[in-house]
Amino acid sequence: MSRDTGSARSRPDSTEARATAKTRDFEEAVAARTKTDPAFARALRDEAITLFVNGEPESAKSILRDLVNATVGFEALAIEIHRPAKSLHRMLSRSGNPPLSNASAIFAAIKRALEVELRARVMLA
């Protein structure tokens, strides 16, 4: 005789758990490579900027989240740009909408953490 020991909601869905584990593994891999490969870190930063400029803020925020986690961290970033860490997490979430001044400050902090200069070049399409 089998007995139900809890509702379906109380047990984690195995597909969801696997997806979360894969996401965590990916984020850890990005963080590790960012710390050991400066060219990779710069490429991520450049891609985030390009995505913002080209109207793809959700993808840009995702990359920025990874860069913040791999470089300065949200707590240190909060201190550096004088914004609460929780607010920064919300800004860079899928539904977040960071003001341009905050996005600029985040990019500047990442630039300092990566110890690189940032130059922009305009190209006609």
Side-chain angles (χ1 to χ4, degrees):
M1 181 177 195
S2 146
R3 177 171 85 122
D4 186 7
T5 57
S7 72
R9 295 186 127 248
S10 66
R11 284 182 258 140
D13 178 79
S14 62
T15 305
E16 184 180 322
R18 281 192 305 269
T20 301
K22 286 180 183 178
T23 299
R24 190 173 308 116
D25 290 345
F26 176 77
E27 289 170 353
E28 289 171 0
V30 168
R33 184 157 179 206
T34 298
K35 290 175 183 173
T36 60
D37 185 349
F40 178 73
R42 287 190 302 272
L44 282 178
R45 182 216 49 215
D46 293 348
E47 184 64 15
I49 292 168
T50 300
L51 288 165
F52 259 125
V53 171
N54 288 332
E56 298 181 53
E58 290 79 19
S59 297
K61 289 184 296 185
S62 176
I63 292 172
L64 273 179
R65 262 192 320 274
D66 290 341
L67 278 170
V68 168
N69 281 320
T71 57
V72 294
F74 276 93
E75 294 301 323
L77 177 63
I79 292 166
E80 185 172 340
I81 68 170
H82 310 290
R83 300 282 182 272
K86 191 171 184 174
S87 178
L88 293 171
H89 278 283
R90 278 194 303 268
M91 281 184 226
L92 296 180
S93 72
R94 261 196 177 292
S95 61
N97 189 16
L100 190 54
S101 60
N102 288 339
S104 176
I106 293 167
F107 276 116
I110 290 170
K111 180 187 83 147
R112 284 188 293 278
L114 295 176
E115 298 177 349
V116 295
E117 286 299 315
L118 184 61
R119 292 190 179 98
R121 181 173 40 145
V122 177
M123 297 171 47
L124 298 176

